[in-house]
Amino acid sequence: MTQDAIERAWDSVVGTARRTVTDGLVVGTSGNVSARVGELVLVTPSGVPYDRLTPGDVVAVDLDGTQVRGRLAPTSELPMHLEIYRRTTARAVVHTHAVHATAVSTLVTELPLIHYMAAALGGPVRVAPYALYGTGELAAHMLGALDGRTGCLLRNHGTVTYGDSLDQAYDRTSQLEWMCRVWLTASSVPGLTPSLLSAAELDEAAEKLRGYGRPR
């Protein structure tokens, strides 16, 4: 893996992390972002404001979690990131404390099918049971909720999404937060209950989404 490739990936990790703050998906240094480059995982550090990170602040670990680059400590949520890279083909992971998604995580065990974009995450979005942040227990709960999915909610905590790129992982996070906001908004109308999609309707949407954006 070339130094140039690592520098480009780090720049994308930092840029995505800053975007989570700008877009209101995290507050302060909460949340974290990572990208896999070969056998290395570049990850945001613990407790450092993203606007202070420089090209020289690269933090990299191997798939066993051993730090191989950088002087700053990796995020405390490293176990979640590593489990995703070990168990999936993910190239990027985004974890946030998005307001609406976190609120939904305290109310249900699965986000109701309020919109067909749930299909873009693999199906109905599950809520992983609560566990202390930064623990192997939380990572294990997350993996269960991610089975067959590319995103999930963490009870009383936030969101996790992954993808083939940082842009894709971030887009999935944004879609998840938006769906949570839609459901909360619709559910708040007194005397009315939101209509939900059926499993068959979601499957139909999933099939159509497979060809979305491809040349005819």
Side-chain angles (χ1 to χ4, degrees):
M1 188 55 55
T2 67
Q3 181 63 28
D4 186 54
I6 292 174
E7 289 175 357
R8 289 198 307 272
W10 178 247
D11 185 60
S12 295
V13 166
V14 173
T16 301
R18 289 174 178 168
R19 190 177 172 191
T20 64
V21 177
T22 300
D23 291 351
L25 298 178
V26 303
V27 176
T29 60
S30 64
N32 26 79
V33 174
S34 69
R36 182 171 178 175
V37 183
E39 295 304 300
L40 295 181
V41 174
L42 307 185
V43 62
T44 48
S46 177
V48 179
Y50 301 137
D51 60 358
R52 296 182 191 171
L53 293 175
T54 70
D57 289 326
V58 175
V59 177
V61 301
D62 62 22
L63 292 174
D64 291 326
T66 301
Q67 186 162 351
V68 295
R69 287 177 182 253
R71 58 184 177 76
L72 300 173
T75 173
S76 59
E77 297 293 9
L78 185 61
M80 286 201 304
H81 291 257
L82 292 179
E83 283 297 339
I84 290 175
Y85 292 121
R86 291 168 184 151
R87 306 297 184 95
T88 75
T89 59
R91 308 303 296 182
V93 176
V94 175
H95 165 52
T96 79
H97 293 178
V99 172
H100 300 92
T102 303
V104 169
S105 79
T106 70
L107 299 172
V108 295
T109 57
E110 183 178 279
L111 175 63
L113 286 175
I114 195 72
H115 197 273
Y116 63 79
M117 283 306 291
L121 296 176
V125 178
R126 307 182 187 103
V127 180
Y130 178 81
L132 181 64
Y133 77 92
T135 62
E137 182 182 13
L138 176 59
H141 289 336
M142 175 205 66
L143 281 179
L146 282 176
D147 185 24
R149 306 288 186 267
T150 54
C152 72
L153 301 177
L154 307 172
R155 185 171 301 285
N156 296 88
H157 189 151
T159 68
V160 176
T161 59
Y162 70 86
D164 296 330
S165 67
L166 279 166
D167 283 344
Q168 186 180 61
Y170 190 86
D171 287 347
R172 286 171 171 167
T173 297
S174 297
Q175 287 285 354
L176 179 52
E177 168 67 355
W178 179 81
M179 285 190 291
C180 288
R181 184 176 183 180
V182 169
W183 181 71
L184 285 172
T185 301
S187 299
S188 69
V189 179
L192 296 176
T193 301
S195 63
L196 301 175
L197 300 179
S198 67
E201 288 170 329
L202 188 67
D203 288 344
E204 183 181 37
E207 184 61 33
K208 191 166 185 176
L209 283 170
R210 288 189 184 99
Y212 185 75
R214 296 178 184 172
R216 290 175 180 264

